[in-house]
Amino acid sequence: MNDFEKQLATTSQDGLYSLEIQTLQVNLGLRCNQQCRHCHLEASPDRTERMEWDTMALVLEAAGSMRSPLIDLTGGAPEVNPHFRRFVKSLRQAGHPVQVRTNLTVLLEPGMEEMPQFYRDQEVQLVASLPCYLEENVCMQRGEGVYGKSIAAIRRLNALGYGVHADLPLLLVYNPGGPFLPPDQSSLETDYRKQLAERFDLFFTRLLTIANMPIGRFLAVLRRQEQEKNYLELLRESFNPQTLDGLMCRHQISIAWDGTLYDCDFNYALSLPVNHGAPDHIRHFNPANLLVRRIVTGDHCFGCTAGAGSSCGGALL
Ligand code: SF4
Ligand code: SF4
């Protein structure tokens, strides 16, 4: 039994089990125009892994076997997958709500000029990374020039109504700039709203705060700074049992670019597929079996249960 499951046992829980499948999170590949220092998937412009159309067709079939799950597209930068637009259109034609996790700067890359309008035409919901409202902090995590491009991209999205009209949501994502937990989500949202409006006349719908997981590039940074032990202790000491019901792995399935099924994107980063007898590839997708699956956990799970909790949908409490 790992330490996380030992901690669960103190709350009388014998492991973690799925509660429902509301969302299919689909990773379209690891190529990204950025190379952020906190990226748990270690995406970069040099990565070549990507989902091919045959696998996308299986995802469409799987989604069709469920009651309109939210399809949450991620990457890398999902937009750089050559089948991206066809896939989004097919999902929308089949009636599925679609959400895209965009890094914003990709929208300024050559060939992406029409992407914001495409999003609006397809009624796609957007979740966009902006880990701070200050330039220095964004560039430190995500690279030189990223802040200015992100502001320019939000301006284009606002001009189309994203973050302005209720039916065109633009959610921004904050994550800490170092080995500490996110601050209170609603207070930080107020700060973001004020800063972005006053300085740039920009708008967004909601802010999501997400903790840094001690895996991937962020773990490498922790090790270089000799902070790994302290950060893991902070996560363990901040364990909050009230977060357990909302853990994203209990409400969704993650599908990797090669069709392998995971309980969450972090397990994907750690190569820990769905286990305990549940089908582990999109070819064998079976919602009934996946719904009763036991989730694969590890010590990294303390990153989701610390403080107010953390998930792809922000704080859990
Ligand atoms: S964190 Fe997002 S934007 Fe940054 S390298 Fe990873 S996938 Fe790309
Ligand atoms: S990392 Fe978080 S979402 Fe993933 S299995 Fe662990 S608790 Fe669940």
Side-chain angles (χ1 to χ4, degrees):
M1 191 187 277
N2 63 47
D3 285 354
F4 184 73
E5 301 227 343
K6 283 183 198 157
Q7 183 74 57
L8 284 181
T10 67
T11 67
S12 311
Q13 298 223 26
D14 167 30
L16 274 185
Y17 289 85
S18 169
L19 295 172
E20 60 183 348
I21 306 175
Q22 282 181 335
T23 303
L24 295 181
Q25 189 175 70
V26 188
N27 191 303
L28 297 188
L30 299 181
R31 197 167 143 237
C32 185
N33 57 310
Q34 292 185 187
Q35 193 165 347
C36 306
R37 63 185 253 155
H38 59 91
C39 184
H40 63 275
L41 287 168
E42 304 188 48
S44 80
D46 300 327
R47 301 294 294 258
T48 54
E49 301 92 330
R50 71 178 194 208
M51 187 174 277
E52 298 298 345
W53 181 255
D54 289 357
T55 309
M56 291 178 181
L58 293 172
V59 175
L60 277 159
E61 210 175 291
S65 69
M66 301 170 65
R67 275 203 207 141
S68 251
L70 172 68
I71 310 295
D72 184 13
L73 301 180
T74 184
E79 295 96 334
V80 302
N81 184 304
H83 311 296
F84 177 74
R85 291 179 208 225
R86 182 183 172 197
F87 189 41
V88 171
K89 273 191 194 168
S90 304
L91 287 164
R92 294 295 297 131
Q93 274 163 12
H96 302 298
V98 172
Q99 170 172 285
V100 173
R101 292 183 185 269
T102 181
N103 68 18
L104 291 172
T105 62
V106 73
L107 301 178
L108 303 185
E109 292 284 305
M112 294 288 168
E113 295 80 4
E114 304 303 320
M115 191 61 80
Q117 184 65 46
F118 172 79
Y119 281 146
R120 195 174 85 159
D121 293 346
Q122 296 297 323
E123 299 173 314
V124 166
Q125 170 172 316
L126 295 177
V127 179
S129 314
L130 189 71
C132 189
Y133 46 75
L134 296 176
E135 180 165 12
E136 185 186 346
N137 292 341
V138 171
C139 293
M140 192 255 299
Q141 281 190 43
R142 298 174 75 78
E144 273 312 304
V146 166
Y147 184 76
K149 288 182 185 172
S150 301
I151 296 297
I154 296 174
R155 198 179 299 289
R156 282 183 64 187
L157 292 169
N158 277 178
L160 288 171
Y162 271 103
V164 178
H165 302 308
D167 57 343
L168 291 171
L170 172 62
L171 285 71
L172 297 184
V173 176
Y174 160 92
N175 63 280
F180 49 89
L181 296 181
D184 174 69
Q185 184 169 271
S186 69
S187 317
L188 189 62
E189 180 179 296
T190 304
D191 294 345
Y192 261 65
R193 224 177 266 299
K194 186 166 181 288
Q195 291 281 342
L196 292 179
E198 283 180 5
R199 297 167 68 202
F200 303 108
D201 203 22
L202 293 181
F203 303 93
F204 64 98
T205 311
R206 261 193 325 125
L207 182 74
L208 311 178
T209 56
I210 301 186
N212 288 321
M213 296 300 275
I215 59 177
R217 275 193 206 122
F218 187 68
L219 177 61
V221 172
L222 288 175
R223 285 182 175 158
R224 272 202 303 280
Q225 297 176 344
E226 298 183 1
Q227 289 284 344
E228 180 185 3
K229 190 162 167 280
N230 289 349
Y231 189 58
L232 291 177
E233 264 174 31
L234 171 69
L235 297 181
R236 279 166 203 258
E237 283 165 6
S238 310
F239 177 78
N240 182 350
Q242 291 178 347
T243 61
L244 295 175
D245 283 352
L247 291 173
M248 62 182 173
C249 50
R250 307 186 80 180
H251 304 272
Q252 71 175 47
I253 288 282
S254 283
I255 307 166
W257 62 271
D258 63 354
T260 306
L261 304 182
Y262 295 85
D263 296 302
C264 72
D265 207 37
F266 305 124
N267 284 4
Y268 165 39
L270 292 168
S271 304
L272 297 171
V274 165
N275 201 340
H276 306 295
D280 66 359
H281 195 276
I282 192 70
R283 274 192 303 275
H284 312 297
F285 189 85
N286 179 328
N289 287 351
L290 288 163
L291 189 53
V292 294
R293 78 191 189 284
R294 180 172 178 154
I295 290 159
V296 178
T297 65
D299 290 351
H300 60 291
C301 296
F302 283 108
C304 296
T305 54
S310 177
S311 74
C312 287
L316 297 174
L317 301 173

